[in-house]
């Protein structure tokens, strides 16, 4: 009798366990060693290299070719990781590393200058399977801030570390501290000089409260970001930036703010933002896209369109997002004249564009 009771309990437990699993929508199969079996050939990746007043008429052929080549190198690197069955997180970070190491983008090597003519870098990542996230803000000696964001996610109890503390943590994890001169590029240095000059002129003007639009000046865009779906159905997103030219007072933008600059959730989508960060924080842009999909059951296309073209635009914000959903649909939505952007699907078809039309 007792044996039957134990057996009944055991069957009940197994039935309950399997029901819970299917309720969670967990369709992944596990083999006994604990390895996840790759059960889908569907994957994809989408990237941006910043949004802003990017006009064909202001772009030389050689600069356009350089951007196209670097975006292609970055996305094909991430794509080949996914193709081999690598994780969305690995694809996102490897892709972003390539753009961080290029002087073309406002991230890592090509970061813009602050008012004090230093470089303060922000980055974040999010894993859509676990909803784990990591971020760093205002770091000044880290070559690849996206890697430090991953380290914060995987090897600390925290989500966001800032400034000197983030760099003490980086050293404890074996990161090399770069001399700040590594981040010097003439183009970005000239840009902050121009911004300061413009500010002087505006402040000398009668209307001392005039708002300075940071997007009027050239070369302030170039934040980088990536969102990916891997063969296991996992989503990840990451964003890395030098912030905005001429920023001061340790200003921190949206890029390291989970929900504003970066968001990923396997139930919906993965998103990376670029643009005027204050508006992206106020609009919680990346999370709003995911939330619209989750609560209103709308498509990725509808959610990104509503958040960028309606809500962000009404607020007065400028910029865009790249996003990929759990089935591999991609969106690259922006309300500026251009956004460096590209995506690749499982078949390896590459779509790359810079300007609006
Ligand atoms: N979103 C970044 C920031 O506000 C800048 C950019 O994407 O261009 O720091």
């Amino acid at each position: 009798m007792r044996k039957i009771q134990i057996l009944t309990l055991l069957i009940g437990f197994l039935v309950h366990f399997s029901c819970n699993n299917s309720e969670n929508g967990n369709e992944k199969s596990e083999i006994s060693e604990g390895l996840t079996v790759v059960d889908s050939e569907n994957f994809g990746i989408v990237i941006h290299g910043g949004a802003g007043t990017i006009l064909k008429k202001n772009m030389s052929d050689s600069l356009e070719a350089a951007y196209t080549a670097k975006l292609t190198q970055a996305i094909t690197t991430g794509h080949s990781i996914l193709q081999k069955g690598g994780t969305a997180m690995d694809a996102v970070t490897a892709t972003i590393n390539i753009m961080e190491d290029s002087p073309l983008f406002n991230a890592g090597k090509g970061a813009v200058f602050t008012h004090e003519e230093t470089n303060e870098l922000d980055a974040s990542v999010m894993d859509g399977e676990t909803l784990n996230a990591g971020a760093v803000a205002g770091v000044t000696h880290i070559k690849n801030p996206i890697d430090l964001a991953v380290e914060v996610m995987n090897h600390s109890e925290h989500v966001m570390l800032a400034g000197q503390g983030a760099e003490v943590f980086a050293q404890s994890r074996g990161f090399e501290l770069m001399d700040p001169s590594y981040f010097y590029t003439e183009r970005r240095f000239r840009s902050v000089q121009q911004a300061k000059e413009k500010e002087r002129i505006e402040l000398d003007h009668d209307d001392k409260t005039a708002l300075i639009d940071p997007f009027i000046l050239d070369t302030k865009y170039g934040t980088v970001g990536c969102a990916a779906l891997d063969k296991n159905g996992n989503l990840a997103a990451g964003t890395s930036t030098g912030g905005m030219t001429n920023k001061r007072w340790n200003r921190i933008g949206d890029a390291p703010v989970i929900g504003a600059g970066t968001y990923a959730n396997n139930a919906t989508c993965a998103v990376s933002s670029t643009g005027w960060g204050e508006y992206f924080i106020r609009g919680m842009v990346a999370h709003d896209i995911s939330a619209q999909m989750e609560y209103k059951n709308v498509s990725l296309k509808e959610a990104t369109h509503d958040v960028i073209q309606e809500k962000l635009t009404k607020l007065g914000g400028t910029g865009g997002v790249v996003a990929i959903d759990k089935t591999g649909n991609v969106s690259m939505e922006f309300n500026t004249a251009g956004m460096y952007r590209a995506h690749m699907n499982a078949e390896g078809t590459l779509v790359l564009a810079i300007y609006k039309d």
Side-chain angles (χ1 to χ4, degrees), residues 106 215 220-223 241 243-244 251 253-254 274-277:
N106 171 18
F215 274 88
K220 79 276 316 140
Y221 28 76
T223 290
T241 189
M244 298 187 93
R251 178 265 187 190
D254 60 316
T274 178
W276 196 336

PDB file of all heavy atoms in Angstrom, residues 106 215 220-223 241 243-244 251 253-254 274-277, ligand 1:
ATOM      1  N   ASN A 106      31.489  56.229 -32.172  1.00  0.00           N
ATOM      2  CA  ASN A 106      31.559  56.864 -30.860  1.00  0.00           C
ATOM      3  C   ASN A 106      31.407  55.804 -29.765  1.00  0.00           C
ATOM      4  O   ASN A 106      30.396  55.721 -29.077  1.00  0.00           O
ATOM      5  CB  ASN A 106      30.461  57.932 -30.769  1.00  0.00           C
ATOM      6  CG  ASN A 106      30.321  58.505 -29.368  1.00  0.00           C
ATOM      7  OD1 ASN A 106      31.215  58.366 -28.538  1.00  0.00           O
ATOM      8  ND2 ASN A 106      29.181  59.136 -29.107  1.00  0.00           N
ATOM      9  N   PHE A 215      22.768  67.654 -31.458  1.00  0.00           N
ATOM     10  CA  PHE A 215      22.800  66.969 -32.742  1.00  0.00           C
ATOM     11  C   PHE A 215      23.060  67.901 -33.924  1.00  0.00           C
ATOM     12  O   PHE A 215      23.110  67.461 -35.064  1.00  0.00           O
ATOM     13  CB  PHE A 215      21.506  66.169 -32.957  1.00  0.00           C
ATOM     14  CG  PHE A 215      21.617  64.817 -32.342  1.00  0.00           C
ATOM     15  CD1 PHE A 215      21.279  64.627 -31.034  1.00  0.00           C
ATOM     16  CD2 PHE A 215      22.134  63.757 -33.057  1.00  0.00           C
ATOM     17  CE1 PHE A 215      21.429  63.397 -30.444  1.00  0.00           C
ATOM     18  CE2 PHE A 215      22.285  62.524 -32.480  1.00  0.00           C
ATOM     19  CZ  PHE A 215      21.934  62.335 -31.171  1.00  0.00           C
ATOM     20  N   LYS A 220      28.980  63.727 -33.711  1.00  0.00           N
ATOM     21  CA  LYS A 220      28.673  63.373 -32.331  1.00  0.00           C
ATOM     22  C   LYS A 220      27.950  62.045 -32.263  1.00  0.00           C
ATOM     23  O   LYS A 220      27.711  61.511 -31.205  1.00  0.00           O
ATOM     24  CB  LYS A 220      27.912  64.465 -31.582  1.00  0.00           C
ATOM     25  CG  LYS A 220      26.481  64.561 -31.846  1.00  0.00           C
ATOM     26  CD  LYS A 220      26.030  65.284 -32.966  1.00  0.00           C
ATOM     27  CE  LYS A 220      26.307  66.496 -33.589  1.00  0.00           C
ATOM     28  NZ  LYS A 220      26.287  66.309 -35.047  1.00  0.00           N
ATOM     29  N   TYR A 221      27.583  61.499 -33.412  1.00  0.00           N
ATOM     30  CA  TYR A 221      26.903  60.202 -33.377  1.00  0.00           C
ATOM     31  C   TYR A 221      27.902  59.067 -33.579  1.00  0.00           C
ATOM     32  O   TYR A 221      29.070  59.303 -33.840  1.00  0.00           O
ATOM     33  CB  TYR A 221      25.797  60.134 -34.415  1.00  0.00           C
ATOM     34  CG  TYR A 221      26.030  61.002 -35.615  1.00  0.00           C
ATOM     35  CD1 TYR A 221      26.934  60.647 -36.594  1.00  0.00           C
ATOM     36  CD2 TYR A 221      25.347  62.218 -35.728  1.00  0.00           C
ATOM     37  CE1 TYR A 221      27.157  61.462 -37.682  1.00  0.00           C
ATOM     38  CE2 TYR A 221      25.573  63.043 -36.812  1.00  0.00           C
ATOM     39  CZ  TYR A 221      26.482  62.659 -37.787  1.00  0.00           C
ATOM     40  OH  TYR A 221      26.703  63.474 -38.849  1.00  0.00           O
ATOM     41  N   GLY A 222      27.429  57.858 -33.473  1.00  0.00           N
ATOM     42  CA  GLY A 222      28.335  56.733 -33.665  1.00  0.00           C
ATOM     43  C   GLY A 222      28.333  55.736 -32.527  1.00  0.00           C
ATOM     44  O   GLY A 222      29.150  54.816 -32.504  1.00  0.00           O
ATOM     45  N   THR A 223      27.396  55.917 -31.572  1.00  0.00           N
ATOM     46  CA  THR A 223      27.172  54.867 -30.562  1.00  0.00           C
ATOM     47  C   THR A 223      26.977  53.542 -31.290  1.00  0.00           C
ATOM     48  O   THR A 223      26.428  53.524 -32.390  1.00  0.00           O
ATOM     49  CB  THR A 223      25.894  55.219 -29.771  1.00  0.00           C
ATOM     50  OG1 THR A 223      26.167  56.353 -28.972  1.00  0.00           O
ATOM     51  CG2 THR A 223      25.421  54.076 -28.894  1.00  0.00           C
ATOM     52  N   THR A 241      29.026  53.227 -25.874  1.00  0.00           N
ATOM     53  CA  THR A 241      29.100  54.601 -26.356  1.00  0.00           C
ATOM     54  C   THR A 241      30.102  55.451 -25.582  1.00  0.00           C
ATOM     55  O   THR A 241      30.460  55.120 -24.446  1.00  0.00           O
ATOM     56  CB  THR A 241      27.709  55.287 -26.239  1.00  0.00           C
ATOM     57  OG1 THR A 241      27.750  56.550 -26.895  1.00  0.00           O
ATOM     58  CG2 THR A 241      27.301  55.497 -24.796  1.00  0.00           C
ATOM     59  N   GLY A 243      29.020  58.493 -25.292  1.00  0.00           N
ATOM     60  CA  GLY A 243      28.016  59.459 -24.832  1.00  0.00           C
ATOM     61  C   GLY A 243      27.874  60.606 -25.800  1.00  0.00           C
ATOM     62  O   GLY A 243      27.921  60.411 -27.017  1.00  0.00           O
ATOM     63  N   MET A 244      27.713  61.813 -25.297  1.00  0.00           N
ATOM     64  CA  MET A 244      27.506  62.970 -26.170  1.00  0.00           C
ATOM     65  C   MET A 244      28.659  63.950 -26.051  1.00  0.00           C
ATOM     66  O   MET A 244      29.124  64.254 -24.950  1.00  0.00           O
ATOM     67  CB  MET A 244      26.178  63.634 -25.844  1.00  0.00           C
ATOM     68  CG  MET A 244      25.036  62.663 -26.107  1.00  0.00           C
ATOM     69  SD  MET A 244      23.415  63.373 -25.949  1.00  0.00           S
ATOM     70  CE  MET A 244      23.127  63.841 -27.630  1.00  0.00           C
ATOM     71  N   ARG A 251      27.864  63.358 -16.717  1.00  0.00           N
ATOM     72  CA  ARG A 251      26.586  63.003 -17.351  1.00  0.00           C
ATOM     73  C   ARG A 251      26.609  61.540 -17.818  1.00  0.00           C
ATOM     74  O   ARG A 251      27.568  61.073 -18.413  1.00  0.00           O
ATOM     75  CB  ARG A 251      26.355  63.934 -18.536  1.00  0.00           C
ATOM     76  CG  ARG A 251      25.091  63.667 -19.351  1.00  0.00           C
ATOM     77  CD  ARG A 251      25.356  62.786 -20.538  1.00  0.00           C
ATOM     78  NE  ARG A 251      24.187  62.666 -21.423  1.00  0.00           N
ATOM     79  CZ  ARG A 251      24.100  61.804 -22.428  1.00  0.00           C
ATOM     80  NH1 ARG A 251      25.103  60.988 -22.681  1.00  0.00           N
ATOM     81  NH2 ARG A 251      23.023  61.762 -23.185  1.00  0.00           N
ATOM     82  N   GLY A 253      24.308  58.764 -20.061  1.00  0.00           N
ATOM     83  CA  GLY A 253      23.202  58.685 -21.016  1.00  0.00           C
ATOM     84  C   GLY A 253      22.379  57.420 -20.838  1.00  0.00           C
ATOM     85  O   GLY A 253      22.366  56.788 -19.779  1.00  0.00           O
ATOM     86  N   ASP A 254      21.692  57.059 -21.907  1.00  0.00           N
ATOM     87  CA  ASP A 254      20.802  55.891 -21.861  1.00  0.00           C
ATOM     88  C   ASP A 254      21.534  54.572 -22.068  1.00  0.00           C
ATOM     89  O   ASP A 254      21.041  53.514 -21.660  1.00  0.00           O
ATOM     90  CB  ASP A 254      19.722  56.029 -22.941  1.00  0.00           C
ATOM     91  CG  ASP A 254      20.334  56.114 -24.334  1.00  0.00           C
ATOM     92  OD1 ASP A 254      21.343  56.846 -24.502  1.00  0.00           O
ATOM     93  OD2 ASP A 254      19.838  55.452 -25.255  1.00  0.00           O
ATOM     94  N   THR A 274      20.009  54.172 -29.871  1.00  0.00           N
ATOM     95  CA  THR A 274      20.999  55.230 -30.082  1.00  0.00           C
ATOM     96  C   THR A 274      20.272  56.545 -30.325  1.00  0.00           C
ATOM     97  O   THR A 274      19.230  56.569 -30.983  1.00  0.00           O
ATOM     98  CB  THR A 274      21.950  54.926 -31.247  1.00  0.00           C
ATOM     99  OG1 THR A 274      22.844  56.035 -31.396  1.00  0.00           O
ATOM    100  CG2 THR A 274      21.219  54.683 -32.571  1.00  0.00           C
ATOM    101  N   GLY A 275      20.832  57.621 -29.785  1.00  0.00           N
ATOM    102  CA  GLY A 275      20.182  58.916 -29.970  1.00  0.00           C
ATOM    103  C   GLY A 275      20.380  59.782 -28.748  1.00  0.00           C
ATOM    104  O   GLY A 275      21.287  59.535 -27.942  1.00  0.00           O
ATOM    105  N   TRP A 276      19.529  60.760 -28.600  1.00  0.00           N
ATOM    106  CA  TRP A 276      19.658  61.726 -27.514  1.00  0.00           C
ATOM    107  C   TRP A 276      19.208  61.047 -26.220  1.00  0.00           C
ATOM    108  O   TRP A 276      18.019  60.905 -25.947  1.00  0.00           O
ATOM    109  CB  TRP A 276      18.805  62.956 -27.838  1.00  0.00           C
ATOM    110  CG  TRP A 276      19.119  64.160 -27.024  1.00  0.00           C
ATOM    111  CD1 TRP A 276      19.708  64.190 -25.786  1.00  0.00           C
ATOM    112  CD2 TRP A 276      18.848  65.518 -27.375  1.00  0.00           C
ATOM    113  NE1 TRP A 276      19.825  65.479 -25.356  1.00  0.00           N
ATOM    114  CE2 TRP A 276      19.314  66.320 -26.300  1.00  0.00           C
ATOM    115  CE3 TRP A 276      18.259  66.137 -28.485  1.00  0.00           C
ATOM    116  CZ2 TRP A 276      19.203  67.708 -26.314  1.00  0.00           C
ATOM    117  CZ3 TRP A 276      18.148  67.516 -28.493  1.00  0.00           C
ATOM    118  CH2 TRP A 276      18.618  68.292 -27.425  1.00  0.00           C
ATOM    119  N   GLY A 277      20.197  60.623 -25.434  1.00  0.00           N
ATOM    120  CA  GLY A 277      19.976  59.693 -24.329  1.00  0.00           C
ATOM    121  C   GLY A 277      18.954  60.121 -23.306  1.00  0.00           C
ATOM    122  O   GLY A 277      18.216  59.286 -22.763  1.00  0.00           O
TER     123      GLY A 277
HETATM  124  N1  LIG B   1      22.562  57.559 -26.686  1.00  0.00           N
HETATM  125  C1  LIG B   1      23.892  58.074 -26.469  1.00  0.00           C
HETATM  126  C2  LIG B   1      23.880  58.935 -25.248  1.00  0.00           C
HETATM  127  O1  LIG B   1      22.964  59.708 -25.065  1.00  0.00           O
HETATM  128  C3  LIG B   1      24.422  58.863 -27.625  1.00  0.00           C
HETATM  129  C4  LIG B   1      24.164  58.310 -29.001  1.00  0.00           C
HETATM  130  O2  LIG B   1      23.562  57.263 -29.136  1.00  0.00           O
HETATM  131  O3  LIG B   1      24.580  58.954 -29.990  1.00  0.00           O
HETATM  132  O4  LIG B   1      24.828  58.896 -24.510  1.00  0.00           O
END
